[in-house]
Amino acid sequence: MDEKLSFFKDGIRLDGRRPGELRPVKIEAGVLKRADGSCYIEMGGNKVIAAVYGPREVHPRHLQKVSRAIVRYRYNMASFSVEERKRPGPDRRSHEVSKVSREALEPVILTHYFPRSVIDIFVEILQADAGTRTAGINAASVALADAGVPMKCLVSSCAAGKVDGQIILDPMKDEDNFGEGDMPLAMTPDGEVTLLQADGRFTVEETREALETARKGCEQIYEIQKKALIDRYSRLEEPEEEGSNV
Ligand code: ADP
């Protein structure tokens, strides 16, 4: 008998998904009262909140750009978000994720409308289960739109992975930890790629397949992001209740 752990049983993944299937995605816009824009997302076991402030004055002032707004993105994993307590505060990984996530969103933000100002994006990972950077980008994109920040379009993000030599969509924790590769992607609805990373080993053919798999995932997420914003604005038409978050 083969003792090796298999990621598939009868072609179905350990969590019951088919290879090209996303985990359940739930998105709600406008969940925080004090932020200019906000969003809560669940992507499988990931639970993430994004808050957007601005455009507002830049502090410290020497960071100002005369011709455009700067964008800051802070990705933070709560110490209770992972199995073993994570040491609080920034580390190398969170700096890297913050940088690539900012770069994934910056190209769609019309920063030149707001010279000398800043748009601050805060992403808090409350529960992590692989794919937190992609969940954060999806939430941040909706939160920016919720804040009324002028953008060319939304950005949608998800990863493809490789397990047992097969390309899968949206790896969960065990697939990410024990699989052979992970490829997060972020893109605009018309197919402009704003983030592409890859861990592990992919052949050229597998790289093509992984890109196409992740692209299809992004398309599905885009529809859910749009729906979250439409739901948010239809809520706004109703009279606001005392103490409501809206
Ligand atoms: P992403 O969350 O974007 O997939 P990684 O590939 O770096 O980013 O991380 C994969 C998963 O590993 C995370 O979603 C999380 O579940 C887990 N993880 C990351 N950093 C830590 C940490 N410091 N402690 C425990 N688990 C972690």
Side-chain angles (χ1 to χ4, degrees), residues 56-213:
R56 63 184 179 180
E57 211 177 313
V58 186
H59 293 288
R61 292 182 71 126
H62 68 85
L63 295 176
Q64 277 183 358
K65 295 267 184 250
V66 285
S67 59
R68 63 172 178 90
I70 60 165
V71 178
R72 291 190 293 216
Y73 191 110
R74 197 197 68 166
Y75 165 102
N76 181 54
M77 259 186 158
S79 51
F80 53 80
S81 65
V82 286
E83 272 169 42
E84 301 265 322
R85 177 180 179 275
K86 185 202 161 278
R87 215 169 143 224
D91 51 22
R92 274 179 62 131
R93 179 179 169 278
S94 66
H95 279 298
E96 181 246 336
V97 176
S98 298
K99 176 182 182 290
V100 297
S101 303
R102 172 177 57 73
E103 289 171 350
L105 291 162
E106 224 169 6
V108 303
I109 303 173
L110 301 175
T111 52
H112 58 277
Y113 282 11
F114 304 101
R116 299 179 193 281
S117 48
V118 59
I119 297 161
D120 276 310
I121 305 168
F122 297 92
V123 167
E124 295 289 325
I125 310 301
L126 307 176
Q127 189 171 286
D129 190 51
T132 58
R133 77 194 61 202
T134 64
I137 291 166
N138 291 328
S141 179
V142 170
L144 282 163
D146 181 45
V149 171
M151 293 151 83
K152 289 186 214 161
C153 55
L154 291 171
V155 171
S156 310
S157 181
C158 78
K162 181 179 156 189
V163 292
D164 288 349
Q166 203 174 317
I167 300 300
I168 51 161
L169 180 60
D170 187 24
M172 48 76 163
K173 186 78 169 38
D174 286 343
E175 292 168 333
D176 183 282
N177 278 16
F178 306 113
E180 294 134 48
D182 178 33
M183 190 184 288
L185 172 79
M187 59 186 277
T188 64
D190 57 7
E192 188 186 336
V193 172
T194 61
L195 168 105
L196 176 60
Q197 297 184 289
D199 277 343
R201 296 167 75 124
F202 294 87
T203 64
V204 172
E205 195 40 55
E206 285 167 349
T207 304
R208 283 203 191 97
E209 191 187 337
L211 262 175
E212 182 54 17
T213 300

